[in-house]
Amino acid sequence: MAENTLTITDNRTQKSYTIPVDNGTIRAMDLRQIKTDPEDFGLMTYDPAFMNTASCKSSITFIDGDRGILRYRGYPIEVLAEKCTFLEVAYLLLYGALPTEKELKDWVHNITHHTMLHETTKKFMEGFRYDAHPMAMFVSSVAALSSVYPEARHVHDADNRLHQIVRLIGKVPSIAAMSYRHNVGFPYVYPDNDLSYTENFMNMLWKMVEPKYVAHPAISRALDVLFILHADHEQNCGTNAMRAVGSAQTDPYLATASAAAALAGPLHGGANEEVLKMLDEIGSKNNVPAYIKRVKSGELKLMGFGHRVYKNYDPRAKIIKWASEQVFQVTGRNSKLEIALELERIALDDEYFIKRRLYPNVDFYSGIIYQAMGFRPEMFTVLFAIPRTAGWLAQWQEMITDPEQKIARPRQIYTGCQERKFVPMEKRTSTVLAAG
Ligand SMILES: CC(C)(COP(=O)(O)OP(=O)(O)OC[C@H]1O[C@@H](n2cnc3c(N)ncnc32)[C@H](O)[C@@H]1OP(=O)(O)O)[C@@H](O)C(=O)NCCC(=O)NCCS
């Protein structure tokens, strides 16, 4: 019997099947041959939250959640955060290799010259209510770009794809900044091509009457590092949305909007905003033990803690702690840091968290830094979406060019009624519908 195989005995029929094991994985479709009789559909797997199902082969990001390792294209996140700029990392994610000096120069020039938005997008943004959530504006405006660039639907044309990728990476900071200015009622600021990616973003956010907003170099570098940390994270909820929607050959603007919509959820990218709300609710270091008690009783979740993949310290959280020190040297300490540190200290020492292997994740400290930098909590998830756009697009491109990929279409286990006889209106009795 071949070594890399799995033998399954079906106790319903006493038949045995041998199926290949490749990369520690069996193919779900190999189970379909396991039937009780020729009419039987064949064996399926049931995995409602993809707890143990690989949906693709990918060479972009590697995570070892037990050992707290994160690498983009083989490079440890710690090294990239120390030595690269965000746009260099975006290039790495998309092209699979770090750029040469010339490649980086061209790439930066290209992205920089695609930061401008069409005036219709500005008008579209003006239509939102003054207090619309920036993520709602971000998702809708990214989707609206599909109406500006209809040629983006030619997803099998490599040059066309690259053009849309450059546009998206260039334009997401402009959309993000507009959503902020819209909330605060200030005029939108146009991009400035003399500035770096993060400096330009900060200029579009905070420029008032001065000719140019000059960001403190430590702050713009810290934001760049945060962008690097958030650039990709393999098959998370948002990326899965990007791939699933993109698998229908939907254009990248609409697919990116879907991914951003997934990111907006409080269990995903929305968690950083929730962490700040939680720290506000706790109010002071002394209230931490009582709050932990409520978490342990199941009343609340400790936001910014726990991860589907990391069962060890999230390596990004470590770098964020370092970046926060750089920011606080400029801005002064955020008073919420004390509460966060106390929460972490107590939680890491508590049986409940130890047993469940719950550690701080990337969102636990990011909100504290963002707030110290001057961002409002509503903007935090948008700050996550800007760099993640590069990751989504790298994953989308990989999916589109993968000959094994088809339209994503899961199976279900049907639990509803079998065929029923139609009931005419006069014979129907009222039923209170179960939720859902
Ligand atoms: C990230 C998250 C959604 C992962 O969920 P998951 O992989 O499905 O993990 P589970 O919900 O199965 O959690 C396993 C156990 O830990 C507990 N748990 C998980 N995260 C927890 C948290 N943040 N606070 C308290 N308990 C938590 C669950 O209640 C469960 O306990 P049980 O076994 O007694 O039922 C989850 O940890 C969470 O909601 N965290 C808070 C939100 C957050 O920070 N999200 C950002 C992720 S980067």
Side-chain angles (χ1 to χ4, degrees):
M1 194 175 298
E3 215 174 88
N4 283 324
T5 58
L6 177 74
T7 300
I8 301 166
T9 304
D10 186 345
N11 293 325
R12 300 170 302 174
T13 58
Q14 309 310 317
K15 278 196 198 157
S16 269
Y17 304 82
T18 298
I19 58 175
V21 177
D22 194 10
N23 291 311
T25 310
I26 59 162
R27 283 184 179 254
M29 275 305 285
D30 285 343
L31 301 177
R32 187 70 73 74
Q33 59 181 309
I34 305 178
K35 300 181 179 205
T36 49
D37 59 67
E39 297 296 301
D40 183 5
F41 181 76
L43 202 64
M44 292 197 303
T45 55
Y46 176 58
D47 192 4
F50 297 115
M51 297 288 287
N52 198 36
T53 297
S55 65
C56 61
K57 289 178 182 164
S58 180
S59 59
I60 301 172
T61 292
F62 172 80
I63 301 177
D64 182 333
D66 287 327
R67 292 192 292 153
I69 294 174
L70 169 61
R71 294 183 201 132
Y72 297 158
R73 301 282 190 183
Y75 295 103
I77 191 68
E78 295 81 0
V79 178
L80 296 173
E82 188 191 332
K83 300 192 187 299
C84 292
T85 61
F86 164 69
L87 284 185
E88 210 175 338
V89 169
Y91 184 101
L92 169 71
L93 288 170
L94 281 151
Y95 289 91
L98 285 165
T100 61
E101 202 176 338
K102 160 97 175 59
E103 284 164 343
L104 182 61
K105 208 168 151 233
D106 291 348
W107 173 244
V108 172
H109 179 273
N110 231 345
I111 299 284
T112 308
H113 286 78
H114 283 90
T115 46
M116 191 73 116
L117 291 166
H118 199 275
E119 283 296 288
T120 53
T121 311
K122 199 176 101 181
K123 291 210 179 90
F124 182 84
M125 181 72 71
E126 280 164 1
F128 289 113
R129 268 181 63 121
Y130 70 97
D131 61 350
H133 193 286
M135 262 320 262
M137 292 191 265
F138 183 87
V139 169
S140 317
S141 306
V142 169
L145 292 181
S146 165
S147 68
V148 185
Y149 307 110
E151 74 278 12
R153 73 168 69 102
H154 302 301
V155 296
H156 290 301
D157 174 341
D159 291 340
N160 189 300
R161 266 200 318 267
L162 182 60
H163 200 162
Q164 313 313 327
I165 287 172
V166 167
R167 277 183 173 147
L168 264 160
I169 297 176
K171 291 179 201 315
V172 284
S174 313
I175 292 179
M178 265 191 190
S179 71
Y180 168 76
R181 302 284 291 200
H182 184 79
N183 274 165
V184 290
F186 293 150
Y188 307 137
V189 176
Y190 287 95
D192 183 332
N193 288 356
D194 293 341
L195 301 172
S196 76
Y197 195 73
T198 45
E199 285 166 349
N200 172 48
F201 176 50
M202 292 163 113
N203 181 60
M204 290 189 290
L205 284 167
W206 293 318
K207 180 171 129 51
M208 296 305 279
V209 290
E210 69 277 33
K212 235 187 240 300
Y213 172 88
V214 184
H216 192 290
I219 304 280
S220 61
R221 176 60 191 152
L223 189 59
D224 208 55
V225 168
L226 285 160
F227 279 3
I228 293 171
L229 301 184
H230 286 89
D232 195 53
H233 213 228
E234 52 118 306
Q235 306 313 312
N236 53 80
C237 182
T239 303
N240 185 53
M242 182 81 191
R243 280 179 174 263
V245 173
S247 77
Q249 299 183 6
T250 303
D251 78 49
Y253 300 102
L254 297 175
T256 302
S258 325
L263 188 76
L267 296 190
H268 193 8
N272 50 17
E273 187 180 337
E274 297 301 316
V275 170
L276 254 278
K277 286 189 200 154
M278 174 184 80
L279 297 177
D280 275 339
E281 190 190 334
I282 295 173
S284 98
K285 206 174 140 182
N286 300 339
N287 300 334
V288 168
Y291 196 84
I292 294 269
K293 214 169 151 191
R294 287 171 67 196
V295 171
K296 283 164 62 179
S297 72
E299 187 190 331
L300 306 157
K301 267 191 173 172
L302 192 54
M303 297 315 282
F305 257 71
H307 199 276
R308 171 63 58 77
V309 179
Y310 292 120
K311 301 298 171 196
N312 196 326
Y313 213 97
D314 182 335
R316 299 168 302 172
K318 265 188 211 157
I319 304 170
I320 288 192
K321 248 179 142 175
W322 167 84
S324 64
E325 290 309 326
Q326 316 305 306
V327 171
F328 295 152
Q329 276 181 24
V330 181
T331 63
R333 255 165 106 96
N334 183 332
S335 57
K336 303 212 173 68
L337 184 67
E338 288 244 303
I339 309 173
L341 287 170
E342 183 68 357
L343 265 177
E344 181 184 330
R345 190 187 66 77
I346 297 188
L348 293 185
D349 205 33
D350 189 295
E351 187 52 28
Y352 176 95
F353 295 90
I354 295 170
K355 207 172 105 201
R356 290 170 179 78
R357 304 180 70 188
L358 300 170
Y359 290 88
N361 58 48
V362 70
D363 298 310
F364 192 66
Y365 285 105
S366 63
I368 299 175
I369 312 192
Y370 291 147
Q371 197 175 50
M373 286 175 169
F375 292 103
R376 298 144 64 105
E378 296 77 22
M379 280 297 287
F380 293 174
T381 314
V382 176
L383 294 171
F384 192 155
I386 295 171
R388 184 54 60 85
T389 298
W392 288 329
L393 290 165
Q395 300 271 350
W396 169 72
Q397 163 113 315
E398 189 178 61
M399 182 272 303
I400 288 282
T401 52
D402 180 347
E404 283 199 323
Q405 289 291 343
K406 290 168 175 253
I407 186 165
R409 206 297 184 188
R411 294 277 170 182
Q412 65 166 9
I413 300 171
Y414 179 66
T415 59
C417 303
Q418 293 307 316
E419 187 175 350
R420 295 206 278 181
K421 236 179 136 183
F422 183 76
V423 186
M425 185 75 80
E426 63 280 8
K427 295 212 169 133
R428 293 177 203 166
T429 50
S430 167
T431 347
V432 178
L433 287 176

